[in-house]
Amino acid sequence: MLKINSIVHGVCKDLSSEGKGVVKINDDVIFCNGLFIDEEADILIEYQRSKVYYGKIKKLYKLSKYRIQPKCKICTSCGGCQFQQLSYEGQIEYKYNRVKQAFKRIAHLDVKIDDVIKMDDPYFYRNKAQMPIGYDKYKNIIYGMFKEKTHQIIPVDVCYIENQKTEKIFKTITYLMEKHHILPYDEDKKEGIIRHVLIRTSYHFNEIMVVLVSNVLNFKGQRNFINELIKLCPDITTIVENINSRTTNVILGEKEKTLYGKGYIKDTICGLTFKISASSFFQINPIQVEKLYKKALDLLELSPNCTLLDAYSGVGTIGLIASKKCQNVISVELNKNAYLDGIKNAKNNNISNVYFVNDDASDYINKSDISFDAVIMDPPRKGSDEKFLNALINNKVKKICYISCNPETLARDVSYLSKYYKITNITPVDMFPMTSHVETIVGLFLKK
Ligand code: SAH
């Protein structure tokens, strides 16, 4: 038992799946932000959740060979990144080992993992920035990031992983809110107007969307505010108001109104153009997504007469890109809006051999009488389920490409398939530099 607010001394032996340093003292486990493998530190114990203690570094004695001076000044308080103080080489080593360990520990498979597909420049990559708006202690309006596990806003000056064009826009928005007396929303008092600002930038077109998440529709002073914002930031091509008046941690509400421009932006992936609206799911790293999709399609070795299932398809991106290499593609997606966006994306790209289904992937594959030659599956963090995996096995699908953002559920599902399938390749792709998130692609071929 450790006392809260006490200081303990320990050595970090491992990193957790959230990227925190793991220190063991007798039977107690401590997770510590910003502490890396081999480092030795005095740690202040801050709180305990279930059996784990959470602490922060008080004094560092021994430093990791991968520790660097971070570019970001707020990385130790902001909840966004875990690895700003770790060299990119160190981040890549962590991601490789996490995938390796997941397969060993969960799937009991000692498999070869290919080199992580890295970014050339791992900064300023995100195409979607979303920040809460509030006050600092002097009552100035600020934007920033929530401190981890709190709703305290840490003001951001430069965010080193967002697109650089967003900085000026965030600054102009808070400046204009002060000028036009448009108040940030106060979660405790449940009053005020602007809750969050979301900015989506197109990588391939000069298009930027600003989404003002507000507490009330048509807030007072809106017109003047918008007109001045467009004048000061002419890069903005569309502004959408999203109304969220609920008491909730979910950022976006259901209702939307376009205040300026088309209400959406476009971007391209692997030569196809996609429409992105305020609430669409869209891959956030425009450079790495092309490498991810290319690797996935290479692994499947598609032939012109094949029928492909794109399961958990989002707005249809991978399936549409694969469609040139297949006879037919069926894309299955549970979310209605994403499914509808998929249909529009096919039409806008003049693609007619992709069919969209709005259903649960497991229910669909069990109902369908189509015999699929290949399957791409890209489920959410919790992974797939036995109903879906059994259907793959029973239908003797020849080739599978499994894309996952969670190495642990991936290892569990691949282990389930591995009696019938040979693993042909495992490649981690770094979609989220400076954070502990890992994306992995696995190729599986049916055993003879
Ligand atoms: N392949 C896409 C999206 C992957 S995100 C891309 O690369 O952009 C995972 C998607 O799975 C989300 O769009 C989510 O809505 C969808 N999803 C979640 N559970 C599902 C289920 N049971 N059946 C089908 N789709 C599901």
Side-chain angles (χ1 to χ4, degrees):
M1 277 279 279
L2 299 173
K3 281 208 186 87
I4 305 305
N5 287 328
S6 67
I7 291 177
V8 296
H9 185 90
V11 176
C12 173
K13 292 284 186 201
D14 200 1
L15 289 182
S16 73
S17 59
E18 290 174 313
K20 295 178 195 296
V22 182
V23 176
K24 285 194 184 132
I25 293 179
N26 301 323
D27 289 336
D28 293 317
V29 177
I30 306 155
F31 282 3
C32 183
N33 276 340
L35 188 68
F36 306 121
I37 292 174
D38 293 337
E39 293 192 329
E40 192 180 328
D42 285 342
I43 300 164
L44 173 70
I45 305 296
E46 292 185 302
Y47 61 94
Q48 186 185 11
R49 290 267 154 83
S50 35
K51 287 201 173 127
V52 177
Y53 292 92
Y54 289 80
K56 70 172 184 197
I57 301 174
K58 274 313 257 186
K59 190 171 174 195
L60 256 179
Y61 292 91
K62 201 178 141 217
L63 306 189
S64 159
K65 64 176 178 188
Y66 293 131
R67 181 175 283 274
I68 55 165
Q69 196 60 38
K71 294 191 186 202
C72 177
K73 291 187 192 72
I74 56 162
C75 67
T76 53
S77 48
C78 160
C81 298
Q82 298 76 42
F83 290 162
Q84 290 275 354
Q85 301 177 91
L86 196 60
S87 69
Y88 195 46
E89 198 189 345
Q91 297 179 27
I92 294 299
E93 188 177 296
Y94 161 80
K95 293 186 187 195
Y96 179 90
N97 285 333
R98 181 153 161 225
V99 176
K100 180 95 187 153
Q101 283 308 319
F103 275 89
K104 211 167 177 178
R105 201 165 34 84
I106 298 161
H108 307 291
L109 293 169
D110 198 3
V111 281
K112 177 176 178 284
I113 314 287
D114 274 12
D115 287 348
V116 180
I117 299 181
K118 295 190 272 189
M119 280 196 91
D120 293 335
D121 176 8
Y123 291 99
F124 302 114
Y125 59 86
R126 285 179 60 98
N127 60 13
K128 176 174 137 183
Q130 72 200 3
M131 307 246 184
I133 306 290
Y135 295 106
D136 67 7
K137 58 182 178 209
Y138 309 106
K139 277 279 177 189
N140 297 312
I141 298 177
I142 53 165
Y143 65 93
M145 294 287 287
F146 285 134
K147 186 175 170 186
E148 194 184 16
K149 295 196 166 77
T150 73
H151 274 201
Q152 181 194 336
I153 299 176
I154 305 289
V156 168
D157 182 29
V158 184
C159 174
Y160 285 87
I161 62 171
E162 307 290 9
N163 184 306
Q164 280 170 293
K165 286 186 191 155
T166 60
E167 188 189 330
K168 179 182 167 195
I169 300 174
F170 278 119
K171 285 184 175 150
T172 310
I173 287 173
T174 47
Y175 158 74
L176 289 176
M177 283 177 66
E178 299 269 11
K179 183 172 168 189
H180 293 272
H181 308 292
I182 295 165
L183 304 182
Y185 179 69
D186 182 322
E187 286 184 324
D188 297 326
K189 295 188 192 137
K190 302 196 175 27
E191 58 187 36
I193 308 291
I194 304 291
R195 301 170 72 122
H196 274 84
V197 172
L198 179 108
I199 304 176
R200 305 188 87 146
T201 38
S202 171
Y203 186 74
H204 292 93
F205 299 103
N206 283 325
E207 296 190 341
I208 296 181
M209 166 165 47
V210 170
V211 183
L212 302 167
V213 184
S214 69
N215 181 38
V216 284
L217 180 69
N218 297 328
F219 57 85
K220 208 167 146 239
Q222 192 177 76
R223 227 350 85 201
N224 291 339
F225 173 80
I226 297 298
N227 288 343
E228 212 169 331
L229 179 59
I230 304 158
K231 211 184 273 164
L232 294 175
C233 301
D235 285 348
I236 299 173
T237 52
T238 187
I239 301 176
V240 172
E241 183 182 15
N242 177 285
I243 297 94
N244 187 354
S245 43
R246 293 169 301 169
T247 308
T248 167
N249 279 341
V250 179
I251 294 177
L252 293 179
E254 311 256 303
K255 239 192 262 158
E256 247 173 54
K257 188 180 163 197
T258 301
L259 304 178
Y260 170 70
K262 297 180 292 192
Y264 63 89
I265 56 169
K266 299 187 301 311
D267 210 343
T268 66
I269 306 177
C270 301
L272 297 187
T273 301
F274 298 98
K275 189 176 146 183
I276 307 164
S277 28
S279 61
S280 304
F281 173 86
F282 201 72
Q283 294 277 354
I284 56 95
N285 189 325
I287 298 167
Q288 293 300 89
V289 70
E290 297 213 341
K291 300 183 195 169
L292 178 82
Y293 287 179
K294 189 172 175 310
K295 181 79 195 174
L297 297 184
D298 284 351
L299 285 182
L300 283 177
E301 299 170 6
L302 298 166
S303 60
N305 55 359
C306 75
T307 300
L308 171 74
L309 173 68
D310 175 14
Y312 313 90
S313 58
V315 295
T317 42
I318 313 179
L320 288 165
I321 291 161
S323 69
K324 275 179 267 175
K325 299 184 174 179
C326 311
Q327 185 158 33
N328 292 306
V329 179
I330 319 287
S331 293
V332 186
E333 165 59 46
L334 190 60
N335 178 286
K336 180 92 187 259
N337 289 329
Y339 151 81
L340 292 172
D341 281 346
I343 295 174
K344 285 188 213 131
N345 284 329
K347 197 162 169 255
N348 294 342
N349 287 290
N350 296 317
I351 292 172
S352 55
N353 61 339
V354 181
Y355 304 90
F356 293 88
V357 180
N358 183 204
D359 202 348
D360 170 80
S362 307
D363 287 347
Y364 170 75
I365 194 171
N366 280 286
K367 277 189 294 216
S368 167
D369 50 16
I370 300 173
S371 120
F372 297 104
D373 303 294
V375 171
I376 292 184
M377 53 190 289
D378 184 7
R381 293 191 66 74
K382 70 176 196 299
S384 187
D385 54 30
E386 290 188 6
K387 200 169 150 192
F388 186 85
L389 302 174
N390 284 334
L392 296 175
I393 295 167
N394 295 336
N395 295 340
K396 300 194 170 57
V397 172
K398 282 193 223 67
K399 300 180 228 174
I400 302 166
C401 173
Y402 193 143
I403 303 178
S404 160
C405 56
N406 183 339
E408 288 75 29
T409 55
L410 171 72
R412 178 200 68 201
D413 291 348
V414 170
S415 165
Y416 195 82
L417 291 171
S418 64
K419 199 170 154 200
Y420 303 93
Y421 285 86
K422 179 178 160 16
I423 299 172
T424 57
N425 184 282
I426 303 177
T427 306
V429 182
D430 193 21
M431 301 291 286
F432 315 104
M434 307 298 142
T435 78
S436 57
H437 297 287
V438 190
E439 191 89 2
T440 313
I441 307 181
V442 178
L444 297 149
F445 278 20
L446 189 66
K447 288 181 184 168
K448 294 250 162 62

